[in-house]
Amino acid sequence: MGALSTASVYFAQTYPVSAIPENLKKNANVVIRKDITTVQINKIDEIKYQYNTVTTVLNKDGDSKAQIYIPYQKGDNISDVKVTIYDESGKKVKSFSKSDFGDFANNNQGVFYSDSRVLALPYTSAYYPYTIDFSYQITDENTIFIPSFVPFSAPNTSLEEAQYKIINKSGIDLKTKTYPSKYNYAEVTAVDNGNEKTYSYKNVPAIDDIQMLPQPVKILPKVSFALTKFNLEGKQGTLNSWTDFGTWYYANLVEPVSASTPAIKAEVAALKLEGSTEEKVKKLYQYMQSKTRYIFVGLGIGGWLPMLPDEVQKKGYGDCKGLTNYMKTLLNEAGIPSHYCVINSSSSQVSFDPDFPSMGGNHAILMVPTEKGNIWLENTSQQIAYNHLSYSTTDRNVLAVTKKGIDLINTPSYPAEQNKEKQILKVNITEDNSINGEIQFAYTGSQYDNNLVYTYLSPKERIDALKKSFDVLNFEKVEMKDLINDKDNAVIKFNVDFKANNYSKTAGTNLLFRAVPIFSNNFYKSDENRELPFEIGQSFQDEYEIDYVLPKNYKIDEVPENVTINSEFGTYKLTLVKNGESLKVTRFIKINKGIFPKEKYNDYVSFRKKTLNMDNSKILLTKI
């Protein structure tokens, strides 16, 4: 136990806020004063963690980052729980022990039943700043996961000092890998004494939550760990390569839950599948969507073992693992092989390291290999299109689990042309400064994902969402019609009838109005002191065709010049064609995704300001 008591020396300290270096207060809502973790691996099925964090909350926005809780699984042993609260001067205000904590099911929204639990201490301070000194020890039989060591995971958090000591007494080989910061934002110091390794960070300033910030995971360094032999709920395996980990995964987490039933056989037979493999997969997938719903289920081997397909079939619900496994079983019955795939689902594209096998991922999807290419199935949504992955799962790799091991396979990457918005507008300009007309919308790719929400809303909620989305127009009335979710081709379409006030301005007897009715009115501000790169997370392409009908007794006096703006960030084109009493405006914008250096941020802002200025180009109508 001696090695595990190193953190206790910090209990004697107090933490006046005045001792925080000024550079760590900048952009910070919380400052992590100390983050001491000691990990002791005793044997294949016993790992002890001792945590001690001291966090100063500078303002109200920091409360959510200093919540006092201990996530655990049934069977974990939690001890030595201590919490001490200090005021600004470092004077002790209050202390708590384990008996003060509540014990809750660790239920996020949508969690149905789960072995995950959480000890939590609700604490609200009446004043700021305040400091929480929180420590506990937990013993776990599952050694498949050893958390990575990162300075912090959220913006507006800074770090004074962190240390991660890992002591390996198990005799099992421990693999480690350090991933330096690509932007030299922080550096990890490592001391390796054979079976005792110590890593530390010092004085890491907060990442400000500025516009277009890449997620901290892409900016900060980290150290990852994996035992070459591990335990998960009594199932032991080896982790020398993706191949041997994959064979273990298949044998323990896929094969045991792949049994079909007479009822499932009958389901598939009743569908009378015919045609190509693609047609059969689509019919089965859309059948599965029609009879199931997503609900989180965290029981089974560490929350990783899917529900049996029989259970999903009878109950009509499951989580990503259960629904993916049920879909896989339906395909098996149709004689179509498929691969259960584990993925990191998030808006930030995070892939598995081909050279460092480890347990990971937070989501399951299905891949069906065919001669015409891979078919990808997201099984948790009743609305999403066939063979379409959302922006939270595209452009990264998956762990495709097969009998022979794990293959790392890339999910599709949608180009800008696929992430498309198409608007066709017929707009009547009227003398009272209002406009009315109709708009046809169509969305594909990641823009399909962004607009899929309409399919879940009531008619009234759709109107509210439309008004919010297109708040550049002052709607008097708006009506959405003909909403179509084309699940075969991943297209969302709808039409809108509308009237909007105060669109044009009166200048004497003339009317003045902007060229593009609906555009993105994002605010772009240059930043001379930007310290970090910026990320355009998704490429996209927008195409608008706008036909204006002029009021009687008015003519077009002048229109802006046609314009094309080219940049490494994308392309913008605005074309205006006069035709008697009408005007046709065509707008095209294509934006390229990527992480760009901080030095180019103001170039990007300049490009977007030019596009905004062109959207706001003024057209003058004179009275005849």
Side-chain angles (χ1 to χ4, degrees):
M1 280 299 295
L4 286 181
S5 61
T6 51
S8 62
V9 298
Y10 296 109
F11 281 113
Q13 298 186 13
T14 62
Y15 298 93
V17 173
S18 58
I20 299 173
E22 280 308 307
N23 71 314
L24 297 187
K25 290 180 184 173
K26 186 185 173 191
N27 301 323
N29 297 326
V30 301
V31 182
I32 301 167
R33 313 289 293 274
K34 301 266 186 212
D35 181 359
I36 310 294
T37 301
T38 305
V39 182
Q40 188 168 296
I41 307 160
N42 291 327
K43 49 188 179 174
I44 194 167
D45 57 358
E46 184 180 295
I47 187 165
K48 285 187 178 180
Y49 297 93
Q50 168 123 12
Y51 297 104
N52 180 204
T53 57
V54 180
T55 306
T56 295
V57 180
L58 297 176
N59 54 49
K60 195 168 177 25
D61 290 335
D63 283 337
S64 63
K65 292 177 186 167
Q67 290 173 342
I68 307 165
Y69 65 95
I70 304 170
Y72 73 98
Q73 297 283 326
K74 283 181 183 171
D76 292 348
N77 179 27
I78 299 162
S79 60
D80 297 342
V81 180
K82 295 188 181 86
V83 178
T84 308
I85 311 292
Y86 299 98
D87 68 10
E88 183 174 1
S89 66
K91 185 179 158 202
K92 180 176 161 183
V93 174
K94 204 162 188 180
S95 58
F96 302 93
S97 64
K98 187 178 177 182
S99 60
D100 298 306
F101 281 65
D103 192 347
F104 307 98
N106 195 0
N107 282 6
N108 300 320
Q109 196 178 6
V111 176
F112 187 55
Y113 49 85
S114 170
D115 276 345
S116 295
R117 298 199 60 81
V118 62
L119 289 179
L121 176 71
Y123 179 79
T124 308
S125 179
Y127 49 81
Y128 300 92
Y130 64 95
T131 298
I132 301 170
D133 184 344
F134 175 30
S135 62
Y136 67 95
Q137 186 168 300
I138 186 165
T139 305
D140 192 350
E141 66 167 342
N142 295 325
T143 52
I144 193 166
F145 302 102
I146 302 173
S148 291
F149 179 45
V150 293
F152 43 78
S153 56
N156 304 117
T157 304
S158 65
L159 172 73
E160 220 171 314
E161 180 186 350
Q163 179 188 291
Y164 193 104
K165 182 180 282 191
I166 189 157
I167 304 155
N168 184 9
K169 297 185 167 183
S170 67
I172 301 164
D173 194 22
L174 174 72
K175 290 186 176 181
T176 66
K177 185 165 183 177
T178 300
Y179 299 85
S181 164
K182 289 179 182 171
Y183 307 103
N184 300 318
Y185 196 80
E187 203 173 332
V188 65
T189 304
V191 178
D192 190 340
N193 291 326
N195 290 336
E196 187 172 310
K197 303 178 198 301
T198 306
Y199 300 88
S200 52
Y201 300 109
K202 275 208 162 98
N203 293 323
V204 184
I207 295 173
D208 194 16
D209 195 6
I210 46 177
Q211 263 198 321
M212 305 183 73
L213 175 75
Q215 292 203 1
V217 67
K218 293 188 174 179
I219 295 167
L220 295 167
K222 75 169 178 178
V223 187
S224 289
F225 310 92
L227 279 175
T228 56
K229 290 181 181 170
F230 62 83
N231 177 65
L232 180 63
E233 305 283 321
K235 307 278 185 184
Q236 297 184 355
T238 56
L239 192 42
N240 290 302
S241 67
W242 285 117
T243 303
D244 61 7
F245 180 48
T247 53
W248 174 88
Y249 200 117
Y250 187 86
N252 290 278
L253 299 177
V254 177
E255 185 68 35
V257 289
S258 63
S260 184
T261 64
I264 292 172
K265 287 179 198 292
E267 270 188 310
V268 175
L271 290 170
K272 297 187 166 56
L273 299 172
E274 52 189 32
S276 66
T277 302
E278 290 76 15
E279 288 167 322
K280 290 176 184 173
V281 174
K282 185 196 289 185
K283 190 165 185 180
L284 273 172
Y285 175 68
Q286 292 178 347
Y287 164 76
M288 184 278 300
Q289 281 183 301
S290 72
K291 66 158 291 183
T292 59
R293 63 195 166 93
Y294 171 77
I295 199 155
F296 182 87
V297 181
L299 291 175
I301 300 180
W304 286 82
L305 188 70
M307 282 169 73
L308 286 162
D310 177 44
E311 215 179 335
V312 178
Q313 193 257 341
K314 283 177 181 163
K315 294 179 176 173
Y317 59 70
D319 67 353
C320 64
K321 304 182 298 292
L323 294 169
T324 296
N325 184 48
Y326 173 54
M327 184 65 213
K328 182 172 170 41
T329 309
L330 292 174
L331 288 165
N332 285 346
E333 281 299 341
I336 300 169
S338 61
H339 300 322
Y340 183 95
C341 296
V342 180
I343 192 167
N344 289 298
S345 170
S346 73
S347 57
S348 197
Q349 292 137 9
V350 177
S351 281
F352 298 96
D353 182 347
D355 302 320
F356 194 79
S358 61
M359 183 64 136
N362 60 0
H363 188 52
I365 58 177
L366 201 63
M367 189 271 279
V368 186
T370 76
E371 289 176 5
K372 293 181 182 174
N374 296 333
I375 296 170
W376 295 94
L377 303 177
E378 167 57 68
N379 303 291
T380 58
S381 167
Q382 293 165 301
Q383 298 294 344
I384 202 164
Y386 161 76
N387 196 17
H388 173 83
L389 292 181
S390 73
Y391 58 81
S392 63
T393 49
T394 48
D395 201 19
R396 66 202 74 195
N397 65 18
V398 301
L399 305 182
V401 184
T402 73
K403 213 171 201 166
K404 295 176 181 172
I406 277 174
D407 291 327
L408 275 76
I409 297 172
N410 292 330
T411 61
S413 180
Y414 298 150
E417 301 75 46
Q418 200 166 341
N419 298 329
K420 190 156 94 173
E421 176 188 33
K422 178 94 177 175
Q423 285 186 21
I424 299 174
L425 299 87
K426 296 204 176 343
V427 180
N428 301 305
I429 306 273
T430 61
E431 285 190 76
D432 66 357
N433 302 117
S434 70
I435 55 172
N436 62 72
E438 63 171 31
I439 315 171
Q440 296 172 23
F441 293 94
Y443 298 97
T444 56
S446 62
Q447 303 219 51
Y448 168 85
D449 305 323
N450 296 336
N451 288 276
L452 197 58
V453 64
Y454 286 119
T455 64
Y456 295 96
L457 301 178
S458 70
K460 184 189 178 303
E461 288 169 333
R462 287 174 189 166
I463 299 304
D464 293 341
L466 264 178
K467 286 180 175 176
K468 196 172 176 185
S469 188
F470 304 138
D471 60 359
V472 291
L473 286 176
N474 180 14
F475 285 114
E476 180 183 312
K477 84 168 181 82
V478 60
E479 183 188 350
M480 183 190 277
K481 303 185 303 188
D482 311 321
L483 175 66
I484 294 167
N485 174 15
D486 181 347
K487 290 182 172 182
D488 294 345
N489 301 299
V491 187
I492 290 256
K493 297 177 184 173
F494 55 85
N495 299 328
V496 171
D497 284 347
F498 75 99
K499 180 180 180 188
N501 296 324
N502 305 320
Y503 185 72
S504 60
K505 287 194 166 48
T506 305
T509 58
N510 301 336
L511 291 176
L512 204 61
F513 64 93
R514 69 171 182 265
V516 179
I518 292 174
F519 60 93
S520 167
N521 60 336
N522 286 354
F523 180 68
Y524 296 98
K525 188 177 173 214
S526 55
D527 183 355
E528 300 307 325
N529 303 310
R530 185 154 183 129
E531 294 173 347
L532 285 167
F534 64 100
E535 180 170 24
I536 302 173
Q538 291 290 331
S539 54
F540 65 88
Q541 184 169 303
D542 293 347
E543 297 173 11
Y544 299 176
E545 294 173 15
I546 310 152
D547 283 308
Y548 287 107
V549 178
L550 312 186
K552 280 193 166 46
N553 305 321
Y554 279 83
K555 65 170 187 169
I556 300 167
D557 191 332
E558 54 187 76
V559 296
E561 296 276 310
N562 293 341
V563 70
T564 299
I565 307 168
N566 287 313
S567 127
E568 68 177 298
F569 312 111
T571 304
Y572 176 93
K573 291 178 187 168
L574 190 70
T575 311
L576 303 96
V577 179
K578 287 197 287 185
N579 182 13
E581 289 163 21
S582 66
L583 171 70
K584 189 178 185 75
V585 177
T586 308
R587 176 191 189 262
F588 171 93
I589 189 167
K590 176 182 174 182
I591 298 291
N592 305 322
K593 78 171 185 180
I595 295 184
F596 298 89
K598 62 185 181 184
E599 293 79 11
K600 293 189 173 178
Y601 183 70
N602 288 341
D603 296 340
Y604 177 74
V605 168
S606 169
F607 168 64
R608 291 314 299 259
K609 280 183 172 174
K610 283 178 193 165
T611 68
L612 272 175
N613 287 341
M614 294 316 302
D615 287 340
N616 278 293
S617 300
K618 296 298 184 282
I619 295 157
L620 180 66
L621 302 183
T622 55
K623 194 149 193 177
I624 301 168

